[in-house]
């Protein structure tokens, strides 16, 4: 290797290793289910390779899978694609796949910093007899789409998580862009005072505040495709408020109302199982638009 390239490779290695350790140390450890599927956190790695892709990626600890939001070609364009790299043993240049994410206008895309690595033989949906194809891993990756709105004296933002599957077939690779889309995060602050009388009626609490968060994990007992455990928490302040009701039409707030509380209707758990190309919940999701839409 020429001296300049050798120094470049060493610098990349020195940069990548501590960045990956730092990122993985700040989030949860990997999860594993009975079928052998693994949900693993991704850590940032700087890749520099004249023969292949280059840039800052989020990668698995062993470096076999890396994902990033693909940079846009022109200023002003919105990112809408995830770039997925698969390192195959014995092959120098990684394989590159692209996932299309539904990113509406005025929205932003960022990477879901996890990957679900499916157990050997899981996720192809069809027999694979070719030994090389059968040995390669199928995965789930995801993107988070965030959108926001501004109001007089307040504002709101919300995001959704979209999961995609990369799977190896008998003689091809297929990317299923959307196997699961769920609400992910939400925050809203709505102005509630317009006069001195309103301030008095609201006991000085002149904004309604709403919060929503979700997390995704593996259900331990699973066969074949993973069962995804989806858990949400929705909160509101003051207690009892709703975005679909006029808070000033209610009676004056009392001291006991000046607290955050969980909304039981939108704090829930669902198990998603895979069938017919998609993950389906064991029960319908409740209507929580007051938390999950800006």
């Amino acid at each position: 290797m020429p001296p300049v390239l050798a120094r470049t490779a060493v610098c990349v290695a020195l940069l990548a290793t501590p960045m990956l350790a730092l990122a993985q140390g700040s989030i949860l450890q990997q999860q594993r289910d009975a079928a052998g599927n693994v949900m693993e956190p991704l850590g940032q790695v700087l890749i520099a390779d004249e023969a292949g892709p280059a840039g800052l990626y989020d990668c698995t600890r062993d470096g076999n899978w890396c994902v990033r939001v693909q940079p846009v070609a022109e200023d002003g364009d919105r990112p809408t694609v995830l770039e997925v790299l698969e390192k195959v043993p014995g092959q120098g240049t990684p394989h590159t796949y692209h996932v299309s994410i539904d990113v509406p206008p005025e929205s932003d895309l960022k990477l879901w910093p996890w990957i679900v690595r499916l157990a050997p033989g899981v996720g192809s949906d069809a027999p694979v007899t070719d030994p090389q194809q059968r040995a390669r891993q199928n995965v789930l990756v995801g993107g988070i789409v965030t959108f926001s709105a501004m109001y007089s004296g307040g504002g709101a933002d919300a995001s959704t998580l979209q999961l995609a599957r990369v799977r190896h077939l008998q003689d091809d690779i297929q990317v299923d862009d959307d196997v699961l889309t769920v609400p992910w995060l939400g925050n809203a602050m709505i102005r509630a005072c317009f006069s001195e009388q309103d301030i008095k009626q609201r006991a000085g609490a002149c904004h309604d505040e709403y919060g929503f968060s979700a997390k995704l994990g593996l259900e331990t007992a699973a066969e074949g495709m993973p069962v995804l455990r989806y858990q949400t928490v929705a909160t509101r302040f003051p207690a009892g408020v709703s975005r679909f009701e006029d808070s000033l039409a209610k009676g004056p707030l009392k001291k006991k109302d000046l607290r955050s509380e969980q909304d039981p209707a939108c704090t829930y758990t669902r198990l998603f199982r895979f069938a017919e190309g998609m993950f389906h919940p064991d029960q319908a999701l409740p209507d929580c638009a007051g938390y999950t839409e800006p």
Side-chain angles (χ1 to χ4, degrees):
M1 180 183 293
V4 173
L5 293 182
R7 285 197 298 271
T8 300
V10 170
C11 290
V12 170
L14 291 175
L15 282 171
T17 302
M19 291 173 68
L20 179 58
L22 176 62
Q24 292 190 344
S26 64
I27 51 181
L28 296 175
Q29 298 299 310
Q30 69 175 26
Q31 303 173 40
R32 183 181 297 269
D33 64 20
N37 303 304
V38 177
M39 183 172 170
E40 179 180 337
L42 300 172
Q44 287 190 328
V45 175
L46 182 61
I47 296 177
D49 187 348
E50 292 185 354
L56 191 62
Y57 287 80
D58 284 70
C59 300
T60 55
R61 185 178 294 275
D62 61 12
N64 287 344
W65 289 94
C66 294
V67 192
R68 71 171 176 176
V69 174
Q70 187 175 46
V72 296
E74 298 181 8
D75 290 342
D77 290 346
R78 289 178 299 110
T80 60
V81 173
L82 299 182
E83 183 180 10
V84 183
L85 306 182
E86 179 193 13
K87 181 180 178 182
V88 179
Q91 300 183 18
T93 303
H95 292 255
T96 303
Y97 317 114
H98 294 95
V99 175
S100 295
I101 302 293
D102 182 13
V103 184
E106 309 302 325
S107 301
D108 296 315
L109 173 63
K110 67 178 183 179
L111 181 69
W112 182 56
W114 294 86
I115 187 170
V116 180
R117 305 173 76 166
L118 304 182
V122 171
S124 296
D125 290 355
V128 177
T129 58
D130 180 89
Q132 292 184 331
Q133 285 290 90
R134 190 172 63 245
R136 292 169 67 181
Q137 195 171 48
N138 301 319
V139 298
L140 304 177
V141 297
I144 298 172
V145 178
T146 302
F147 36 101
S148 59
M150 297 299 295
Y151 304 110
S152 175
D157 60 76
S159 63
T160 59
L161 170 65
Q162 179 179 325
L163 291 191
R165 176 174 58 161
V166 177
R167 55 187 174 126
H168 298 83
L169 306 180
Q170 177 68 16
D171 55 2
D172 196 6
I173 308 296
Q174 180 163 321
V175 176
D176 304 314
D177 291 323
D178 188 357
V179 296
L180 173 70
T181 297
V182 288
W184 196 241
L185 292 173
N187 292 281
M189 185 172 69
I190 309 299
R191 183 181 179 187
C193 294
F194 300 90
S195 67
E196 291 294 330
Q197 178 59 35
D198 295 344
I199 296 173
K200 182 177 179 181
Q201 180 174 337
R202 295 275 305 188
C206 284
H207 287 91
D208 290 347
E209 299 176 15
Y210 302 88
F212 181 90
S213 63
K215 63 180 181 179
L216 199 65
L218 297 185
E219 181 72 357
T220 303
E223 297 180 2
M225 283 291 286
V227 176
L228 303 178
R229 176 177 288 272
Y230 174 69
Q231 297 173 282
T232 74
V233 175
T235 61
R236 56 194 177 192
F237 172 87
V241 296
S242 169
R243 289 183 69 179
F244 304 112
E245 297 176 356
D246 181 0
S247 60
L248 293 174
K250 297 183 176 181
L253 290 178
K254 298 178 175 58
K255 186 176 181 180
K256 66 180 180 63
D257 300 319
L258 301 182
R259 58 183 175 85
S260 293
E261 69 170 1
Q262 285 191 9
D263 182 346
C266 292
T267 299
Y268 60 90
T269 298
R270 295 290 186 272
L271 297 181
F272 282 82
R273 293 180 170 84
F274 194 83
E276 300 177 346
M278 295 284 293
F279 283 95
H280 301 273
D282 53 357
Q283 301 179 54
L285 273 56
D287 180 2
C288 297
Y291 298 94
T292 61
E293 295 182 5

